[in-house]
Amino acid sequence: MDGSVVDAALEGLRLVFSWPWILYPLAGTVLAMLFSASPGLNSSSLMALAIPLTYAWDPLPVMLLFGAFVGGATFMGSVTAILFNIPGKASNAVTLLDGYPMTQQGRAKTAISCAATASALGSTFGIVMLIALIPVMREAAIALGPPEYLMLAIWGLTTLAALTGNSLPKGLIAAGVGLLLAFVGYDPRTAGLRFTFGFDYLRDGFSLVPVFLGLFALAEIIDLMASGRETLSGKQRSSELSGSAGDGVRSVFRNFGLFLRSSVIGTVIGIIPGIGSSVAGFIAYGHASQTAGADSKFGRGDIRGVLAPEAANDAKDGGALVPTLALGIPGGTGTAVLLGALMLHGLVPGREMLTDHLVLVFVLVWSLFLSNWVTSLLGLSLASPMAKLSTIRTSRLVPVILALAVIGAYQYRGQVADVICAIAFGILGYLMKRFDWPRIPLVIAMALATLFENNLHLTLRLQELGRIDIWSRPITLGLMALTLFSLLLPGALARWRRGRRDPKAAK
Amino acid sequence: MTLLVAGVLLLFLVQTPRIGLVAGRIPFVVLGLTLILVCWQLVRELVAPQRSSADTVSASHDVVQALRATAWIFVLLLAVLVAGVVPGAGLFCFLFLRFQADESWLFSLVFSIALSAAVYLIFDLFFGASLYSGWLPLP
């Protein structure tokens, strides 16, 4: 690792643990834990709410805060999965398969302490991999030109469209709509207006802030209100914790090989854009159950069924930052909102971020590291009171969150029209969620549209002038092949699954 | 939902004559490809099996709840536009807690005042943010 990377890493570490900057990741961690402990709310909603409120901040506290939001979110959803059989989010769904039976057997504390330990160590693994890959990412980013960035944008969008949600056409349509929404406003080359429908507000295009607020915060609130749930978890009281915390911690070290393999799975899955965190957990769980041996009790309270997905879920965070920071291609919802926050503060992922802003990159990484450990330690000691959050009446939370969303939307540019825009996207986001349309391709298309359009123009122009030949550039051709693979993969997977369910029909 | 998306794309299509060819080259291609995909999706949905009556009953219940939720958001917007962010948030909170959540008058009033006070203290005094003051000339 070269000296500049080491220096940047040490400077980032110093900044994160210095006073008063350490207050930001600690506050961010607590906020992320509160949000992610409540089924129906998540860290993406929290980040969407925080973007407009932190718009005027310097980049350093923003990186400290948002790194903590990413890191503080994963573990607490496991607590509700283990205690109530209700996952905080999709990535925690697999933890309940063995976590909830452990609670029913009076071993809730064992399960939670195992989850906390696996989360903390898994995230450390993912972050070590991320740091090791930063020098490689820098060299790779420098080698990329307009055709490569164009194909990266296309590959990112097609992969996300293919792998998020359960329908390739819906994903591609959402991506197309996202690109069209991003084209609204002035054309950067001719200054001509596009798709403004006569509204002055649209001359500068749709801002990402009300879009994020609407799609990820307001849509979730509408869904929460529409679900008719009286409390976030649907239960009136939380469970008491029993079991042994020491047993839970020791179980991770007793199964250290499984922990390492699960962490590798999570990191690799995280690096591939669009493959959600729930996939990492399920693959790790599947691997654990297949390699369990004669003493397997998977599905009936086997602690390895908690350890494997938790390690994978948290290792994924470090992996997901690789394409986000190096290429500007987010891995999923959380990194998509993070990408929006970075861009709004003038931090452009890619070669510039990994050279001119390397210290800030490490601030983000170390903040993520700190928040994962704080979450695990606090979550372990505060699991029982935290779990009570999910029994709070939704009617008391809704006005608070709506007020925050309205303030956030207005604060960004001081325009009431931004509030109306956020509400419109909130309704759209709810409809998309209700009718099973993926939101991620839409929002990522809006974030990548400038990269896509500018590099398409540059590539076509350079090709016309004979300065480049895209058919002789191996990275470009490789990305074209990957794009084709992404488009064909869902159909192939669907046919394979149908074949496994009904071999006769497959024949 | 697909019809809604198709409608949005048609709105974009109607705008295309107003855009020059240079500025519109890439958007026109994206619009064309997306329209083709929407037509394909519409055909798939027409060919797909119909929903069961149980699904329809639960869907209509969702629609009522969702419309109610959306209506409350517009109540919030109206309250903020008329009275400003601080009083508007409190007014909305009171109305929501009393008439949607069926909380007591006292609880609704106290919670709403607390919310308005918290918004004012945190955003106006602590962050120094300039909050929208609404159409009414309130102090």
Side-chain angles (χ1 to χ4, degrees):
Chain A
M1 201 178 285
D2 74 55
S4 62
V5 174
V6 173
D7 291 339
L10 290 172
E11 178 62 12
L13 187 64
R14 186 193 69 77
L15 283 167
V16 169
F17 286 91
S18 65
W19 184 266
W21 300 119
I22 196 167
L23 291 176
Y24 287 91
L26 290 177
T29 303
V30 171
L31 284 170
M33 287 174 72
L34 289 172
F35 260 71
S36 59
S38 319
L41 301 176
N42 52 50
S43 63
S44 303
S45 312
L46 174 61
M47 283 198 273
L49 286 169
I51 287 175
L53 300 175
T54 58
Y55 182 64
W57 291 13
D58 287 335
L60 174 60
V62 170
M63 294 297 245
L64 288 163
L65 195 66
F66 279 78
F69 285 161
V70 174
T74 321
F75 168 65
M76 288 311 295
S78 312
V79 173
T80 56
I82 289 167
L83 293 182
F84 300 124
N85 206 33
I86 296 169
K89 46 204 66 60
S91 59
N92 306 120
V94 70
T95 306
L96 59 82
L97 294 175
D98 279 277
Y100 188 62
M102 288 181 73
T103 297
Q104 291 175 315
Q105 293 161 12
R107 297 157 61 209
K109 210 181 270 187
T110 313
I112 289 175
S113 62
C114 173
T117 311
S119 289
L121 293 176
S123 72
T124 305
F125 183 92
I127 286 167
V128 166
M129 288 293 105
L130 170 64
I131 293 173
L133 284 172
I134 282 176
V136 176
M137 282 153 47
R138 280 213 307 180
E139 296 308 314
I142 289 166
L144 303 177
E148 285 76 29
Y149 278 109
L150 170 65
M151 283 315 304
L152 274 169
I154 293 173
W155 175 61
L157 283 174
T158 49
T159 309
L160 286 162
L163 296 175
T164 53
N166 53 18
S167 165
L168 175 62
K170 284 182 182 177
L172 291 173
I173 293 167
V177 170
L179 286 174
L180 289 168
L181 289 171
F183 293 146
V184 171
Y186 285 108
D187 171 43
R189 275 158 302 282
T190 65
L193 285 172
R194 301 186 296 195
F195 304 121
T196 58
F197 300 90
F199 291 110
D200 286 342
Y201 171 75
L202 294 178
R203 282 172 178 257
D204 290 326
F206 286 106
S207 161
L208 284 180
V209 170
V211 171
F212 278 129
L213 268 173
L215 285 176
F216 295 112
L218 287 176
E220 296 299 324
I221 293 301
I222 296 174
D223 186 58
L224 199 59
M225 289 159 69
S227 68
R229 279 204 305 263
E230 225 181 272
T231 63
L232 291 171
S233 66
K235 291 177 185 275
Q236 301 303 319
R237 56 174 70 91
S238 62
S239 310
E240 292 301 320
L241 295 190
S242 54
S244 162
D247 270 352
V249 174
R250 281 188 292 273
S251 66
V252 176
F253 296 97
R254 273 200 306 272
N255 298 281
F256 203 69
L258 174 63
F259 160 76
L260 279 179
R261 293 193 301 275
S262 302
S263 300
V264 168
I265 289 169
T267 307
V268 170
I269 297 289
I271 287 174
I272 303 170
I275 300 187
S277 54
S278 54
V279 175
F282 273 105
I283 292 177
Y285 184 88
H287 165 74
S289 65
Q290 282 162 7
T291 55
D295 63 341
S296 164
K297 289 186 292 176
F298 277 82
R300 289 170 289 133
D302 194 316
I303 201 162
R304 291 169 293 185
V306 171
L307 187 168
E310 287 301 309
N313 281 338
D314 280 79
K316 166 205 63 65
D317 287 340
L321 284 178
V322 171
T324 306
L325 297 175
L327 308 171
I329 312 281
T333 315
T335 40
V337 182
L338 175 67
L339 179 66
L342 294 176
M343 290 168 68
L344 283 162
H345 285 87
L347 299 167
V348 181
R351 131 185 22 160
E352 186 187 314
M353 172 156 271
L354 296 176
T355 48
D356 299 340
H357 301 293
L358 194 56
V359 173
L360 286 175
V361 168
F362 276 104
V363 165
L364 183 77
V365 170
W366 292 123
S367 180
L368 171 67
F369 171 78
L370 174 65
S371 73
N372 268 300
W373 278 91
V374 169
T375 305
S376 289
L377 291 168
L378 277 181
L380 191 53
S381 46
L382 299 174
S384 187
M386 285 279 191
K388 287 188 169 62
L389 279 174
S390 59
T391 59
I392 292 176
R393 294 182 67 172
T394 53
S395 55
R396 296 176 184 179
L397 275 181
V398 161
V400 176
I401 296 174
L402 281 179
L404 283 176
V406 165
I407 292 168
Y410 179 77
Q411 272 316 104
Y412 173 54
R413 293 190 292 191
Q415 292 186 32
V416 173
D418 281 336
V419 178
I420 297 171
C421 181
I423 292 174
F425 275 97
I427 295 168
L428 174 66
Y430 168 72
L431 289 172
M432 292 180 81
K433 186 173 178 177
R434 172 72 181 78
F435 292 103
D436 230 5
W437 282 69
R439 289 170 283 172
I440 296 177
L442 188 150
V443 72
I444 289 173
M446 290 186 76
L448 292 180
T450 307
L451 180 80
F452 167 76
E453 191 177 15
N454 288 346
N455 284 288
L456 178 57
H457 276 295
L458 275 171
T459 301
L460 291 173
R461 192 76 185 115
L462 289 169
Q463 183 85 2
E464 276 171 23
L465 294 172
R467 300 289 291 272
I468 58 167
D469 176 17
I470 58 171
W471 304 110
S472 66
R473 297 173 77 97
I475 298 176
T476 306
L477 294 174
L479 288 168
M480 283 183 189
L482 281 172
T483 302
L484 201 60
F485 178 71
S486 304
L487 290 171
L488 296 174
L489 181 63
L493 275 175
R495 271 192 295 277
W496 177 73
R497 281 188 201 119
R498 273 200 303 273
R500 279 176 66 100
R501 274 200 301 269
D502 189 351
K504 288 181 186 171
K507 283 180 188 169
Chain B
M1 183 65 193
T2 312
L3 286 173
L4 174 66
V5 174
V8 168
L9 292 176
L10 287 174
L11 284 175
F12 275 91
L13 190 63
V14 160
Q15 288 281 301
T16 51
R18 300 183 190 193
I19 302 169
L21 201 57
V22 174
R25 191 166 51 164
I26 292 167
F28 294 163
V29 170
V30 171
L31 180 58
L33 289 171
T34 313
L35 275 168
I36 291 169
L37 283 167
V38 164
C39 292
W40 179 21
Q41 180 65 18
L42 276 171
V43 168
R44 275 164 52 111
E45 285 177 6
L46 285 172
V47 168
Q50 297 300 315
R51 274 213 255 205
S52 72
S53 57
D55 287 341
T56 310
V57 167
S58 120
S60 63
H61 178 69
D62 283 343
V63 168
V64 169
Q65 297 273 38
L67 285 173
R68 195 176 288 160
T70 312
W72 276 109
I73 291 181
F74 280 105
V75 168
L76 171 62
L77 178 65
L78 192 62
V80 166
L81 284 174
V82 170
V85 171
V86 174
L91 177 63
F92 163 76
C93 182
F94 175 78
L95 292 172
F96 185 87
L97 288 173
R98 184 66 199 92
F99 298 109
Q100 171 69 20
D102 250 346
E103 299 278 3
S104 68
W105 286 95
L106 182 63
F107 179 85
S108 305
L109 190 65
V110 170
F111 196 102
S112 312
I113 293 171
L115 176 65
S116 289
V119 166
Y120 176 70
L121 286 169
I122 294 170
F123 293 100
D124 205 319
L125 291 186
F126 185 71
F127 283 114
S130 131
L131 299 176
Y132 181 64
S133 52
W135 297 331
L136 289 178
L138 295 171

